[in-house]
Each structure stands twice: as C-alpha cells, then as structure tokens.
C-alpha cells in the first residue's frame, strides 16, 4: 500500500527513511493556529491529524502520516522561531529550564478513514546558557525551522543538561516507535 508523509520537513523525511519503506511526501495545507484555550498537547495531536487528513482526503487508498510538535513550559508555547532574533529570545527564555516537547504522530488509512494518533512527551532540561553561547549556537546551526530553536540531533545537544522520553526520534519530530506500531496495525510488515 502506498505510504505518504504529509510533510515536507527534511527532518521527518530522514527519520521515516529509517524504516526502509517506500514513501512519498506531500505538503499539507493546514492552519496551525491554536484554538482558544487549547492545551499544547491537544494542539500537537489535532495538527498531526489535520495534516494527515488534508492529504488523505485527496487519495483513494494510502496510509498517510501526519506529525506535529509543540514545545512548551506551562502555558507558554515555543513555536518555530522563523528569525534569528526570536530564536535567541526563545533560548534565553529556556535557559536553565525544563521544556516539554509534545510530538504527535497520526496515521490515516485513506480508504477506511481509520485514524490512529499518539502523542509522545520528551522532557528537556536546558543548561544555563550565556548570551554568547546562545548567539554562537544560533549562528552556527540556524535552528529557525525547529520548535524551541534547538536541534538535538545536531549541535543543539550541547545546550542540554538532560532529556527524558520513551522515543529518541520524537524529539527530532517523528516518533518512530509509535508510528511503527500504527503501521503494523495496518498490516505493514516491519521487522
């Protein structure tokens, strides 16, 4: 069966390649605005489903994967910074703090409309960072397209004191352990 990743993220594409399954990518047109009063975890899970549904609704028979990640402390959400200034501001705010990264993955079977969705939590403790360290990091890695402004799969790991979670791929943006369970439920053969 055809598998489609509803994302053009190079990070998610690289992660999905680890499963050694043929797949295509498609850009979902999805409004990522939080609903009034929507909790960060609920936001991530709703967006993962919305992204998968945006593509699944255009196909007859495929398994469509959507994913979204929200980084937060309390009610404060850290999205993709988009600019150097916002990345620096986010890292200043997260310095010395624990930040929750809630990564949701959804799988929709286009013909049956069956939806599976799971959220995976990773707790990340940032070390206390100086302004010079923050600026050097942002200049070196330009993490402008990553929720929370830190790429743990790259130089961003040096900003952290610790992390805890059930799936190391969740922090990068696509929880492969949960996704593998979902794919097996749909009959996809994985070792």
């Amino acid at each position: 069966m055809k598998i489609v990743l509803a994302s053009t993220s190079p990070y998610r594409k690289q992660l999905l390649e680890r499963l050694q399954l043929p797949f295509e990518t498609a850009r979902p047109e999805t409004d990522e605005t939080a609903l009034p009063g929507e909790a960060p975890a609920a936001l991530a899970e709703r967006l993962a489903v919305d992204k998968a549904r945006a593509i699944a609704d255009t196909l007859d028979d495929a398994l469509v994967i959507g994913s979204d990640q929200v980084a937060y402390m309390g009610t404060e959400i850290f999205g993709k910074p988009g600019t150097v200034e916002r990345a620096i501001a986010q890292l200043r705010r997260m310095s010395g703090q624990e930040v929750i990264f809630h990564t949701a993955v959804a799988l929709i079977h286009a013909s049956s409309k069956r939806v599976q969705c799971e959220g995976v939590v990773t707790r990340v403790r940032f070390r206390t960072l100086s302004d010079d360290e923050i600026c050097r990091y942002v200049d070196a890695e330009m993490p402008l397209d990553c929720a929370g402004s830190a790429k743990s799969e790259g130089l961003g790991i040096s900003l952290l004191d610790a992390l805890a979670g059930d799936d190391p791929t969740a922090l990068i943006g696509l929880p492969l352990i949960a996704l593998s369970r979902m794919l097996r439920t749909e009959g996809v053969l994985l070792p």
Side-chain angles (χ1 to χ4, degrees), residues 69-89:
Q69 183 177 76
V70 176
Y72 64 97
M73 289 189 320
T75 59
E76 185 177 5
I77 293 176
F78 301 99
K80 297 173 184 172
T83 69
V84 168
E85 295 75 23
R86 279 186 275 203
I88 290 170

Side-chain angles (χ1 to χ4, degrees), residues 98-133:
E98 181 178 89
V99 178
I100 306 295
F101 286 77
H102 190 98
T103 309
V105 61
L107 183 69
I108 297 181
H109 188 286
S111 62
S112 73
K113 307 296 184 205
R114 180 180 11 196
V115 176
Q116 299 179 67
C117 184
E118 189 173 330
V120 179
V121 171
T122 307
R123 296 181 180 283
V124 176
R125 191 172 65 242
F126 284 81
R127 62 184 181 81
T128 301
L129 305 167
S130 71
D131 274 354
D132 284 346
E133 289 171 318

Side-chain angles (χ1 to χ4, degrees), residues 6 51-60 62 64 108-111 113:
K51 289 174 181 180
R53 185 170 284 128
I55 302 303
D57 286 349
T58 69
L59 301 171
D60 291 328
V64 183
I108 297 181
H109 188 286
S111 62
K113 307 296 184 205

